[in-house]
């Protein structure tokens, strides 16, 4: 799946899933631009990729600020004359009971993970993809955007919004040959997840047990799905939301009804 000479912007790629996507794209021949709020983190990530022989740079970016999104898009356009790929990955995660959710937390989560996806996408589309009549956008949503999880009202609402936003943009911009898709990861073993585990906020064993495939995802497994959607192999796929969740979402109803034995019964039959 070659991305040879493609110019790719990946937001929030200073660490975690975004960094793994950037490395994967670079391994497949793309020049990657890491758009990162924490500039030092972005610069270190780009340096790490260059040290491995890949083509990478970092630009400071706050996706919640349309001016920042425009500035990054225009800088990349000025340097390369096109932007082929955009991955909207920047995110954050704050747990609150809805009745206790502080206004700032609601606004921040929706701002980064819904408004930010729109502002960055709009900037790249206006600056590059619509004029060049070509482009691929992959938005990182979440299985959280497909159902009710207590304590995650802002996060899940923002991610659900991203899934529908992707469908709208896919239909609006098909005329410009711009494909827009989502990848919805299940629980993924990132630094953020490890720190939640250390704090005792997340019990890994429970997530493993809840997943039909018996474990959480590795960042590389998410990046593989993003690579597929970004590549020509997905040339007729747009408006899709690809779950990469080890079977978590389809298992939801069985679990809620309290039939964990169903999965072992199915295994015995097969
Ligand atoms: P992470 O916290 O490790 O990385 C997110 C990055 O986004 C950070 O480097 C952060 O600085 C950056 N960022 C935050 N706000 C920004 C802004 N305003 N502008 C630009 N960059 C900003 O998170 P992760 O676990 O790698 O998650 C990446 C994406 O995957 C997120 O969208 C997240 O919601 C989604 N996701 C993660 C999981 C999981 O289990 N880790 C599961 C489903 C979906």
């Amino acid at each position: 799946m070659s991305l040879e000479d493609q110019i790719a912007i990946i937001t929030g790629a200073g660490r975690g899933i975004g960094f793994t996507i950037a490395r994967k794209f670079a391994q497949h021949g793309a020049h990657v631009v890491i758009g990162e709020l924490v500039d030092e983190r972005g610069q270190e990530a780009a340096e790490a990729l260059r040290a491995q022989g890949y083509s990478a740079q970092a630009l400071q970016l706050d996706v919640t600020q349309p001016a920042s999104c425009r500035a990054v898009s225009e800088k990349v356009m000025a340097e390369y004359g096109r932007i082929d790929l955009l991955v909207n990955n920047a995110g954050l995660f704050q747990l609150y009971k809805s009745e206790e959710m502080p206004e700032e937390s609601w606004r921040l989560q929706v701002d980064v993970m819904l408004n930010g996806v729109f502002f960055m996408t709009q900037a790249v589309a206006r600056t590059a993809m619509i004029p060049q009549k070509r482009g691929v956008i992959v938005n990182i949503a979440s299985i959280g955007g497909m159902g009710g999880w207590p304590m995650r009202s802002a996060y899940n609402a923002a991610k659900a919004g991203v899934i529908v936003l992707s469908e709208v943009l896919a239909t609006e911009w098909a005329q410009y040959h711009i494909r827009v898709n989502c990848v919805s990861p299940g629980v993924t073993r990132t630094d953020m997840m490890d720190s939640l585990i250390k704090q005792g906020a997340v019990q890994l064993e429970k997530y493993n047990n809840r997943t039909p495939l018996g474990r959480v995802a590795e960042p590389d497994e998410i990046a593989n799905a993003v690579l597929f959607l970004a590549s020509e192999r997905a040339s007729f796929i747009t408006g899709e939301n690809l779950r990469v969740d080890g079977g978590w979402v389809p298992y939801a109803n069985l679990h809620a009804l309290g039939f964990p034995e169903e999965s072992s019964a199915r295994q015995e039959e097969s």
Side-chain angles (χ1 to χ4, degrees):
M1 274 184 271
S2 173
L3 299 181
E4 208 56 43
D5 296 328
Q6 305 264 299
I7 308 298
I9 301 177
I10 300 121
T11 72
R15 68 177 189 191
I17 293 173
F19 177 71
T20 311
I21 295 166
R23 189 177 54 207
K24 178 79 63 185
F25 278 17
Q27 284 166 346
H28 286 77
H31 170 75
V32 296
V33 180
I34 291 169
E36 172 58 58
L37 181 67
V38 185
D39 195 35
E40 200 183 328
R41 185 181 293 165
Q43 298 300 341
E44 279 174 15
E47 184 50 47
L49 291 179
R50 286 195 298 269
Q52 292 170 44
Y54 301 126
S55 180
Q57 73 189 92
L59 295 174
Q60 207 273 333
L61 168 69
D62 181 352
V63 296
T64 68
Q65 302 301 315
S68 176
C69 298
R70 278 196 301 275
V72 165
S73 307
E74 284 165 10
K75 192 158 195 308
V76 176
M77 199 56 184
E79 205 162 333
Y80 299 98
R82 63 197 159 85
I83 301 170
D84 303 297
L85 308 169
L86 168 66
V87 181
N88 286 301
N89 162 83
L92 77 159
F93 183 65
Q94 296 180 345
L95 285 171
Y96 286 103
K97 290 180 181 171
S98 291
E99 65 272 30
E100 292 168 7
M101 171 82 71
E103 181 184 341
E104 317 81 70
S105 178
W106 174 274
R107 288 190 188 281
L108 178 66
Q109 292 185 72
V110 173
D111 227 12
V112 174
M113 291 180 290
L114 180 56
N115 299 340
V117 171
F118 182 73
F119 293 141
M120 189 61 196
T121 302
Q122 187 188 50
V124 168
R126 278 179 175 163
T127 313
M129 291 184 178
I130 291 177
Q132 75 200 16
K133 293 199 167 47
R134 191 175 44 81
V136 180
I137 297 162
V138 182
N139 295 324
I140 307 302
S142 167
I143 58 169
M146 281 172 271
W149 296 44
M151 317 276 289
R152 292 159 171 86
S153 48
Y155 184 88
N156 284 20
K159 293 299 191 181
V162 164
I163 293 168
V164 176
L165 174 65
S166 305
E167 293 177 349
V168 173
L169 297 177
T171 55
E172 244 184 271
W173 293 344
Q175 63 181 312
Y176 304 119
H177 310 287
I178 298 171
R179 294 190 293 108
V180 188
N181 290 296
C182 279
V183 166
S184 283
V187 179
T188 306
R189 195 75 197 257
T190 57
D191 291 347
M192 182 187 77
M193 191 50 61
D194 280 344
S195 75
L196 289 173
I197 292 167
K198 276 193 204 118
Q199 290 162 32
V202 162
Q203 286 160 298
L204 185 61
E205 208 45 35
K206 287 189 179 170
Y207 282 108
N208 287 340
N209 290 339
R210 171 63 181 74
T211 310
L213 284 181
R215 60 175 177 81
V216 300
E218 292 298 326
D220 204 52
E221 295 175 303
I222 311 304
N224 280 334
V226 178
L227 172 66
F228 165 66
L229 287 173
S231 78
E232 268 305 296
R233 298 267 171 102
S235 56
F236 204 56
I237 300 177
T238 196
E240 181 58 277
N241 175 31
L242 178 55
R243 281 185 294 104
V244 186
D245 69 349
W248 180 293
V249 167
Y251 188 47
N253 290 335
L254 275 181
H255 185 77
L257 290 168
F259 291 116
E261 69 277 16
E262 288 283 310
S263 71
S264 48
R266 271 185 286 132
Q267 277 166 17
E268 277 162 23
E269 280 163 20
S270 62

